[in-house]
Amino acid sequence: MPTKNGETSVFRTSGISDDEIWSLGDRHIQKEILGRGDIVTSKVTDKGLEVVPDDTPERHANILGWADYDDRSKNISIALQLEDEVNKVNKFHLR
Amino acid sequence: MSTATYCPNCPSVSNFLDFGFSPDFEGLKTFCDKVIGDFRRTETFSRPIEETIAALMEVFKECSVEDWDGTGALPVSEDAVLDAAKLIYLLPSNMTFPMPSITAEPNGEIALEWYRGNRSIFVVSVSGKSEIIYAGLYGTNKTHGIEYFGSSLPPAIISNLKRLYSGR
């Protein structure tokens, strides 16, 4: 789900090891990381969203293109479909 | 997202968090006391609801501060917790449906999710404005919408839960 700015913060993790992914999160997320979900970009763009890299910090990107606040049930529906895609390939990882 | 699960040592209504001072927090405490009190009469009914309320309180404890997820999330409000508790309380008391898992959303809302398996999920989200935003996945079908609720659960929510758990 997006934040108040209509963005969902993600890291692009293609091509790096599992340890490097956890390390990336540890370096740049100011909270203890308990788990993560991995999804390929095409599954996100298939839903009409965009993945826009800003590399601030390294490998960071934002998912944009969410519906307006008044249509947020659509956002929940899209988020549910993305969650299902992650579940389908067992890509939720607990630390 | 952060999903809370029940643990015996976590705060519960019988061991209520006492870090709130506002009238809304007092209202929340009174409401949650009533929720548990009404159902404590029978152990069969009381345990799932008490555990779910405890999970809700744990989410509130962890996510009621700005940036609780480290990526700029809004704090979960007491009003959202009140709405979530009310919704849990309004679930059919015959326990046809299991209790949902509780999650905080980055926009400060609270999500209640019923998960049966891949493409078999129903989730509702509340923000404290007496409205329920919901979405469901049922195989290749999907639905979403907004319902307002007062003293009873909107029929659309019941029918989606029935749809999810039909054919069990």
Side-chain angles (χ1 to χ4, degrees), chain A residues 1-4 9 28-31 69-74 76-77 80-81 83-85 87-88, chain B residues 67-71 74 105-106 109 113 115 118-119 121 123 125 129 131 133 135-137 142 144-145:
Chain A
M1 287 289 286
T3 62
K4 58 185 174 184
S9 176
H28 299 300
I29 302 294
Q30 308 303 314
K31 302 284 180 182
Y69 182 82
D70 288 343
D71 198 13
R72 60 197 187 284
S73 72
K74 183 179 176 186
I76 291 184
S77 179
L80 203 57
Q81 293 169 60
E83 177 187 330
D84 186 66
E85 293 289 351
N87 269 321
K88 198 187 302 180
Chain B
D67 193 29
W68 52 263
D69 68 346
T71 64
L74 290 175
E105 299 284 5
E109 297 184 355
E113 180 179 298
Y115 180 85
N118 286 338
R119 299 205 70 81
I121 316 170
V123 64
S125 183
K129 297 173 183 168
E131 60 182 16
I133 300 98
L137 272 182
K142 52 183 185 265
H144 62 90

Side-chain angles (χ1 to χ4, degrees), chain B residues 59-125:
Chain B
V59 166
F60 182 51
K61 180 185 171 190
E62 289 184 2
C63 307
S64 58
V65 294
E66 194 84 35
D67 193 29
W68 52 263
D69 68 346
T71 64
L74 290 175
V76 167
S77 70
E78 291 172 3
D79 285 344
V81 175
L82 272 170
D83 266 3
K86 182 174 159 185
L87 199 154
I88 291 164
Y89 179 62
L90 290 173
L91 288 171
S93 58
N94 60 12
M95 303 305 286
T96 303
F97 318 117
M99 284 289 133
S101 58
I102 311 289
T103 310
E105 299 284 5
N107 60 5
E109 297 184 355
I110 292 178
L112 288 76
E113 180 179 298
W114 288 263
Y115 180 85
R116 280 196 72 185
N118 286 338
R119 299 205 70 81
S120 190
I121 316 170
F122 181 61
V123 64
V124 303
S125 183

Side-chain angles (χ1 to χ4, degrees), chain A residues 11-63:
Chain A
F11 284 93
R12 292 169 294 122
T13 55
S14 178
I16 62 176
S17 70
D18 193 62
D19 285 346
E20 286 172 314
I21 294 173
W22 289 117
S23 174
L24 192 62
D26 288 338
R27 288 200 304 277
H28 299 300
I29 302 294
Q30 308 303 314
K31 302 284 180 182
E32 180 187 10
I33 296 180
L34 305 176
R36 72 170 206 262
D38 298 338
I39 190 168
V40 294
T41 301
S42 62
K43 296 294 184 187
V44 178
T45 55
D46 282 351
K47 307 298 179 201
L49 302 172
E50 297 176 84
V51 179
V52 181
D54 59 12
D55 282 319
T56 308
E58 57 181 318
R59 288 184 169 271
H60 185 262
N62 284 306
I63 298 176

Side-chain angles (χ1 to χ4, degrees), chain B residues 20-40:
Chain B
F21 301 96
S22 70
D24 282 347
F25 185 86
E26 287 304 313
L28 171 65
K29 184 178 187 312
T30 302
F31 184 83
C32 289
D33 283 347
K34 181 182 184 316
V35 168
I36 292 303
D38 285 349
F39 279 83
R40 190 169 275 162

